[in-house]
Amino acid sequence: MFAFMLTIILVILSHLQIVFSAVDSIRPFQSFSDGGTLVSQGGGFELGFFTPGNSNSRYVGIWYANIPVKTVVWVANRCNPINGSSGLLTINSTGNLVLMGHNKSVVWLMSSSKQAKKPIVQLLDSGNLVLRDEEDGNSETNYLWQSFDDPSDTLLPNMKLGWDFRTGLNRRLSAWKNWEDPCPGDFTCGFEFDPQLHTYPDMHMVKGTTSFTRAGPWNGLYLSGFPAIEPNPVYSNDFVYTEDEVYYTYNLKNNSVISIMVMNQTTSSHQRLTWIDAEETWRTYASLPSDECDKYDVCGANANCMIYESPMCQCLKGFKPKSQEKWNSMDWSEGCVRSSPLNCLEKDKDGFIKFSGLKVPDTKRSWVNKSMNLKECRAKCLSDCSCMAYTNSDIRGQGSGCVIWFGDLIDIRQFSDAGQVLFIRMSRSELGKTNNKIRAVIPVAVIGGVSGMLLLGYFICRRGSKERNQVEDLEVPLFNLSTITTATQNFSIDNKLGEGGFGPVYRGRLEDGQEIAVKRLSISSGQGEKELKNEVKLIAKLQHRNLVKLFGCCIQAEEKLLVYEYMSNKSLDYFIFDSKQGKLLGWSKRFQIICGIARGLQYLHQDSRLRVIHRDFKASNVLLDNELNPKISDFGLARTFGGDQSEEKTNRVIGTYGYMAPEYAFHGLFSTKSDVFSFGTLVLEIISGKKSRGFHHENHDHTLIGHAWTLHKEGSSFGLLDKHLRESHHNLKQVLRCIHIGLLCVQQFPVDRPSMSSVVVMLVSESELPQPEQPGYFTEMVSAKRENSSTKKKSSSMRDMSITILEARFTTKATVHDAKACHVLAWPWVKPDLAS
Ligand SMILES: *[C@@H]1O[C@H](CO)[C@@H](O)[C@H](O)[C@H]1NC(C)=O
Ligand SMILES: *[C@@H]1O[C@H](CO)[C@@H](O)[C@H](O)[C@H]1NC(C)=O
Ligand SMILES: *[C@@H]1O[C@H](CO)[C@@H](O)[C@H](O)[C@H]1NC(C)=O
Ligand SMILES: *[C@@H]1O[C@H](CO)[C@@H](O)[C@H](O)[C@H]1NC(C)=O
Ligand SMILES: *[C@@H]1O[C@H](CO)[C@@H](O)[C@H](O)[C@H]1NC(C)=O
Ligand SMILES: *[C@@H]1O[C@H](CO)[C@@H](O)[C@H](O)[C@H]1NC(C)=O
């Protein structure tokens, strides 16, 4: 009994010592129970018991002692929680730190290979918990065990991420399962390395057993796929690769800054966070993956992921899709193969093409030599028929070292403002092609033309020299008028498909059976034939899988005809606004359509050489092919046939009620952002199956946009979804995300609306979206109610046709930012009386 009491007293005394004088270490026979903490000497870190979330589970962990948000950076018993407060941490007689739970069961232990004579466990100011032997003279650096060798989800400054070949230790980060369970999830990060096959260490983030994102190999300055980390004012990176070790580490430039690297299972991302004292919060400095192109091998072999291109996956120059069909449907998994085979065995038959701005390929099948130069590297690659590419292993200064790749090149991406060069092996025939090829055609200036007609001047850049050239002669077939009249049976009314913005459209069949759609332009302009042809050639250059293809034109006498590919499934309005047809378009198809038209518009705005603003984007201008893939039509026409216009202001408003952005309808101000508005409107239509124009709700006067916005505000966006879609299986998260994106696009002020390339990224990623501001055209206002019968008649007879308002009506001084003015506009449209 006495012995028992004594033990209790001893235990209490040892606790008192720890609890009351903030100590940083534990020695043998001292135990440390739930409630006590160790604090590092400088006060930066604290070790103790904690509970994540709302469970009963207790864990031993280390956290920052000097910030108000408890941030646990290391956990001992990650998968073995202690139930309740029975935990006890102690050094036993063989010098091991042991964590015991209920009834003295061991839940975690630190095991060192060597037994210490005089063991001490200490929490250092670096956040490292170490076991050392006080008898050992070098014990300040000679640790028998350290928590830095057993990382959790966080890489602290000076911690090593990587291998120690002497001990076989491989330090990897592993995310918590979720915010209340520190047990490792399946999301981990470390260097892939194999002394035989794979000697150029490559950092991968892995989900389960497959790569999720690759940060890439170290190139002397940064990890090839993560250029965002360098250079910066917060920390300096370091990478060590010797016979003994390979690891990445970083150092703070200013020790009063707190910055960490964390793996997060919930967001599937690897984040660099910095503590912002003034805001008492962690801020993300950089994260990986940062976009779709960071997803491992997203484009398949021998392809380049270009986030601003559409589609984002493109075969490398000299390669073509292995399956064109799959590639066209954006299934990139099979990747690309060579357009012409290599001739390795014939001397000097192969060469290399230099690519720039890349993340280098996966190094799983590579070889590296740090002392070779680039010339030796090239020779080494040429001498080996399986070598496909080479570059410097270290890009600092003039570059040094050599790395070569064998077989398919996997997981390449393009950076716009960083990246490395890569020399890719090509057959001589492929090299010949690039020598003579025109590199790029860049429109440089708009020069005046005949009667308001625009002509574009081009610089054609050839290899090594820049020279001025005439408008490039593109092969656009000129059809004979008789061919077209035969094909359309003399523009028979039976062949009429509809009425577009610039005239009627007819279906036709050429002699060889090819089906065509012929647009008969009803614009009588004074434009010369030559200029018109030139314009058609420019439009013909706009080629994208989500744009209707222009086959050619016919300009003879008074007839001006454009000949397009024929779309068997008519236009989108025919489906979404029709209760029968609407059933044919399930949610996933609608989502594909939204993504497709977003890419098509992005191409027009950004990626094409002409930078086209559509100005009449609407459901009836989105045609569907036989697989219901969307293709935008009537692009480029406003620009060409719209008449007087400068880049920003027009006094001929071309567009369609219900889709026109307020600033365009009122002030004739158009920009890519007015197209974004129309796009947003169309997205809301596709989701709701309701027409924006003439929308009516029994309970309120809101427009479709106003209705969507109100539901969004109330958190009941789902109510917007077309009732045909409600019962069927759908992706709720995706639906809500699309509505959210739609609302961002129809915001009142153009500057608030995202660009089409942001929209494309938002559609396919899961990043957090900003909250939309109030949209343009919120409510149908009094002016619409007061409309007189003659306007009503007129507007209903115009139905959904495009309109052209010929004079500059709105000479008022009201600016785009005059919110009130913008709210007055309603449809059926009446001329707003801004003066009253
Ligand atoms: C943990 O302890 C609580 C109360 O002490 C008990 O109700 C619960 O069943 C225990 N859970 C486990 C898993 O032992
Ligand atoms: C100390 O703990 C370790 C780990 O649990 C164990 O292997 C060892 O036997 C213990 N030593 C003693 C004397 O209990
Ligand atoms: C506690 O451990 C002792 C001996 O190891 C065992 O006899 C006893 O049943 C255990 N008690 C509980 C509640 O697990
Ligand atoms: C992961 O990120 C989410 C969202 O930012 C956050 O709520 C969660 O706490 C993070 N998880 C961990 C384990 O830190
Ligand atoms: C380090 O950071 C602190 C806090 O941000 C700042 O006050 C201080 O000036 C910095 N020191 C240096 C040398 O930059
Ligand atoms: C690396 O290259 C250097 C210089 O060419 C050469 O001396 C050395 O043997 C090479 N090392 C290996 C492992 O091939």
Side-chain angles (χ1 to χ4, degrees), residues 71-72 153 175-182 262-269 271 273 284 768:
T71 307
V72 176
D153 64 342
W176 289 24
K177 263 197 181 128
N178 56 57
W179 69 283
E180 51 181 10
D181 186 356
V262 186
M263 301 284 293
N264 186 317
Q265 180 89 29
T266 317
T267 57
S268 286
S269 69
Q271 287 172 319
L273 305 175
T284 307
E768 204 172 310

Side-chain angles (χ1 to χ4, degrees), residues 23-26 32 37-40 45-48 60-63 73-77 89 91 97-99 108-110 120-132 143-150 156 159:
V23 291
D24 70 345
S25 50
I26 308 177
F32 171 96
T37 60
L38 294 185
V39 178
S40 67
F45 288 95
E46 192 166 9
L47 177 142
V60 167
I62 297 173
W63 54 86
V73 296
W74 181 80
V75 183
N77 52 324
L89 197 56
I91 297 182
L97 185 67
V98 181
L99 174 62
W108 178 82
L109 60 102
M110 125 192 333
I120 175 170
V121 171
Q122 190 173 19
L123 179 62
L124 305 182
D125 265 333
S126 57
N128 198 4
L129 181 70
V130 302
L131 168 67
R132 54 194 182 84
Y143 306 136
L144 297 172
W145 181 91
Q146 56 179 326
S147 62
F148 273 19
D149 281 344
D150 179 25
L156 292 172
M159 229 168 130

Side-chain angles (χ1 to χ4, degrees), residues 269-486:
S269 69
H270 165 103
Q271 287 172 319
R272 161 70 67 181
L273 305 175
T274 298
W275 177 256
I276 307 297
D277 226 3
E279 296 166 20
E280 302 207 334
T281 177
W282 290 99
R283 184 177 294 162
T284 307
Y285 198 92
S287 68
L288 199 69
S290 64
D291 59 34
E292 277 296 292
C293 280
D294 281 335
K295 292 214 168 137
Y296 181 73
D297 195 19
V298 65
C299 292
N302 307 310
N304 190 359
C305 191
M306 304 163 101
I307 198 74
Y308 293 118
E309 292 291 319
S310 181
M312 69 178 188
C313 291
Q314 313 251 326
C315 288
L316 289 165
K317 205 188 298 169
F319 291 80
K320 59 177 200 292
K322 186 166 180 196
S323 155
Q324 186 68 48
E325 205 176 311
K326 287 192 177 170
W327 196 263
N328 289 349
S329 64
M330 303 214 197
D331 173 355
W332 297 301
S333 56
E334 293 192 3
C336 306
V337 293
R338 289 194 178 274
S339 306
S340 24
L342 297 176
N343 299 296
C344 180
L345 297 176
E346 288 175 60
K347 200 168 180 306
D348 295 333
K349 275 289 159 85
D350 290 344
F352 295 89
I353 292 184
K354 179 178 175 177
F355 292 75
S356 306
L358 298 186
K359 163 182 173 180
V360 298
D362 190 330
T363 68
K364 230 163 245 135
R365 299 184 61 200
S366 70
W367 175 92
V368 68
N369 180 326
K370 284 186 279 185
S371 46
M372 275 161 77
N373 63 30
L374 204 57
K375 208 172 147 208
E376 293 166 327
C377 198
R378 183 179 196 276
K380 171 93 185 167
C381 188
L382 265 188
S383 71
D384 182 338
C385 284
S386 60
C387 174
M388 291 300 149
Y390 73 91
T391 195
N392 279 132
S393 56
D394 191 330
I395 64 169
R396 280 176 296 182
Q398 299 293 303
S400 62
C402 168
V403 52
I404 65 179
W405 280 266
F406 309 104
D408 283 337
L409 304 172
I410 306 290
D411 194 38
I412 296 176
R413 75 162 293 169
Q414 186 79 45
F415 291 113
S416 47
D417 50 1
Q420 297 177 238
V421 297
L422 183 69
F423 300 87
I424 299 181
R425 189 180 203 132
M426 293 288 159
S427 72
R428 196 50 70 185
S429 63
E430 213 55 53
L431 296 172
K433 275 182 208 160
T434 48
N435 280 341
N436 304 330
K437 200 169 171 181
I438 292 165
R439 277 301 185 71
V441 182
I442 310 157
V444 288
V446 177
I447 43 182
V450 187
S451 60
M453 177 71 206
L454 299 177
L455 275 180
L456 285 177
Y458 281 89
F459 276 122
I460 298 182
C461 309
R462 288 184 200 280
R463 182 167 267 214
S465 74
K466 269 190 188 162
E467 46 191 83
R468 189 76 197 268
N469 209 321
Q470 290 90 11
V471 172
E472 205 187 344
D473 218 2
L474 247 208
E475 288 306 311
V476 179
L478 290 178
F479 289 89
N480 243 326
L481 185 56
S482 63
T483 313
I484 304 296
T485 46
T486 310

Side-chain angles (χ1 to χ4, degrees), residues 598 601-602 605 612-615 617 659-663 670-684 705 741-747 749-760 762:
L601 264 191
Q602 179 196 19
H605 286 177
V612 173
I613 298 169
H614 192 297
R615 292 169 61 190
F617 188 71
Y659 293 93
M660 262 191 279
E663 74 279 6
F670 67 88
S671 65
T672 51
K673 295 295 183 72
S674 41
D675 275 357
V676 170
F677 186 96
S678 309
F679 170 81
T681 309
L682 180 55
V683 167
L684 297 177
I705 291 172
I741 294 169
L743 286 170
L744 288 171
C745 292
V746 296
Q747 289 177 101
F749 301 118
V751 43
D752 293 334
R753 297 172 208 149
S755 67
M756 283 315 298
S757 46
S758 318
V759 169
V760 167
M762 286 180 202

